[in-house]
């Protein structure tokens, strides 16, 4: 089994299943912190899917997009965590 076959047969279904579970947590999450973590994990899984697509297609055109998404996910998680911390101190 080559790497491309392994990505298509094993990794993509696992990532698709994890997206379903993450979306359930995102919509069902009892608090806003759960939703923030689920959204961050959803973006991280999307970056994984972009990486698998890059491996299977053989072109590196979307790697820049994955790096930008990772930066945005990190900064948004930090910003929302800062907002939640400030909101809890006001109460």
């Amino acid at each position: 089994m080559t790497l491309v076959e392994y990505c298509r047969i094993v990794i993509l279904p696992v990532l698709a299943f994890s997206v379903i579970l993450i979306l359930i947590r995102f919509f069902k999450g009892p608090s806003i912190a759960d939703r923030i973590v689920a959204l961050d994990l959803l973006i991280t899984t999307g970056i994984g899917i972009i990486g698998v697509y890059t491996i299977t297609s053989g072109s590196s055109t979307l790697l820049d997009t994955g790096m930008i998404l990772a930066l945005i996910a990190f900064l948004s998680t930090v910003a929302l965590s800062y907002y939640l911390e400030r909101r809890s101190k006001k109460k």
Side-chain angles (χ1 to χ4, degrees), residues 9-26:
I9 295 172
V10 177
I11 296 176
L12 273 180
V14 169
L15 287 174
F17 184 67
S18 68
V19 166
I20 293 169
L21 293 176
I22 294 167
L23 285 175
I24 290 171
R25 173 49 59 194
F26 180 73

Side-chain angles (χ1 to χ4, degrees), residues 68-82:
I68 291 171
L69 276 175
L71 179 64
I72 290 171
F74 171 73
L75 291 176
S76 65
T77 302
V78 169
L80 288 171
S81 300
Y82 178 74

